[in-house]
Amino acid sequence: MKYPKIREIGEALVSLFSPAYTTAFPAKPHIPFDNFRGKPVVDDANCVGCETCANVCPSGAITFRDDTEKKIRIIERNYGLCIFCGQCQEHCITQKGVKLSDKIYDMATFNRNDLVEKQEKELVICKGCGAVITTREHLHFIHDKLGPAAYSSLLNLNMLNEKLKLADEKSISVEVTDGLKRKDMFNIICPNCLRKVLIKSL
Ligand code: SF4
Ligand code: SF4
């Protein structure tokens, strides 16, 4: 019984005269070790709003909401729920949309709302059925990624048209008011409506 007490007193004396094992944060900045996984940082210019990171986020920190009235996708990233696993960075389809930083202790706050970040991306809506196709930036990304193979997709032809400005969007994209017709295959329509146009020859 005596020996453990003597050992504890010895350890207490050693720690009293040794330098602190913990860091002096926030008095001094925290210097993380290599490959430290901290707060994810979004690069909006390279994020296309595809939803992939939300689908792989294990803690549900990333959520998406589509506002079809305003034609925008709202992406919310709640870093109060983030476990810094790096899955969002790992699976980002552009590989540049989100990257983990080495900052984590700087996130400390009394207001949890400070930890929520929002992004907005323009949506492309099907002119036939009103379904959300995806974001405009996502379609452009797919078009660039596919290269020449993109020309097999009518939706991608519309993206090419936007890029080259061959015709203004109004002339190729019109509301479908009298039901889907064969001519609508060049309109902005979702794969389901395109299938109906092509297979049923409406
Ligand atoms: S690091 Fe992990 S938990 Fe945090 S936002 Fe990315 S996927 Fe979600
Ligand atoms: S996976 Fe990448 S591009 Fe897609 S929404 Fe997430 S950060 Fe943006």
Side-chain angles (χ1 to χ4, degrees):
M1 194 63 191
K2 274 185 193 166
Y3 177 70
K5 291 291 170 206
I6 294 168
R7 190 194 66 206
E8 283 166 20
I9 291 168
E11 283 175 4
L13 286 172
V14 168
S15 0
L16 193 62
F17 295 104
S18 310
Y21 187 73
T22 52
T23 68
F25 183 87
K28 288 185 184 167
H30 168 68
I31 300 167
F33 50 82
D34 286 348
N35 299 325
F36 181 86
R37 293 200 307 242
K39 178 180 179 283
V41 176
V42 174
D43 178 356
D44 192 50
N46 283 302
C47 168
V48 295
C50 65
E51 286 193 36
T52 305
C53 51
N55 289 329
V56 297
C57 176
S59 66
I62 310 170
T63 51
F64 283 70
R65 185 163 51 84
D66 289 339
D67 185 334
T68 49
E69 291 289 312
K70 294 182 184 165
K71 296 188 180 167
I72 51 167
R73 170 167 292 169
I74 300 147
I75 308 158
E76 276 195 5
R77 298 171 196 263
N78 184 346
Y79 296 118
L81 299 175
C82 178
I83 56 170
F84 313 103
C85 64
Q87 290 297 302
C88 49
Q89 172 182 318
E90 179 74 25
H91 294 278
C92 175
I93 65 163
T94 68
Q95 292 293 297
K96 297 178 198 158
V98 63
K99 288 205 186 303
L100 266 57
S101 67
D102 58 9
K103 301 276 182 295
I104 194 165
Y105 298 111
D106 314 64
M107 291 169 64
T109 176
F110 289 110
N111 184 359
R112 284 176 183 268
N113 292 333
D114 292 346
L115 300 173
V116 180
E117 286 178 5
K118 276 190 190 174
Q119 281 172 277
E120 289 186 359
K121 296 285 176 189
E122 183 191 348
L123 281 177
V124 177
I125 308 273
C126 174
K127 297 284 181 185
C129 65
V132 171
I133 299 176
T134 182
T135 65
R136 192 168 294 279
E137 285 173 52
H138 190 192
L139 278 180
H140 278 293
F141 172 78
I142 294 169
H143 178 86
D144 292 342
K145 186 98 177 164
L146 284 174
Y151 303 118
S152 59
S153 156
L154 291 170
L155 200 53
N156 270 298
L157 282 180
N158 283 325
M159 290 302 116
L160 180 67
N161 178 57
E162 266 187 24
K163 198 172 279 181
L164 299 181
K165 305 210 180 315
L166 298 173
D168 60 23
E169 187 176 330
K170 281 185 192 146
S171 61
I172 56 157
S173 168
V174 289
E175 295 301 328
V176 179
T177 49
D178 54 347
L180 282 171
K181 298 278 188 309
R182 187 94 181 157
K183 64 181 169 57
D184 287 313
M185 64 194 279
F186 295 105
N187 205 341
I188 304 282
I189 53 174
C190 68
N192 270 342
C193 288
L194 182 61
R195 182 179 55 81
K196 283 181 195 162
V197 168
L198 294 179
I199 293 178
K200 294 186 179 174
S201 293
L202 296 165

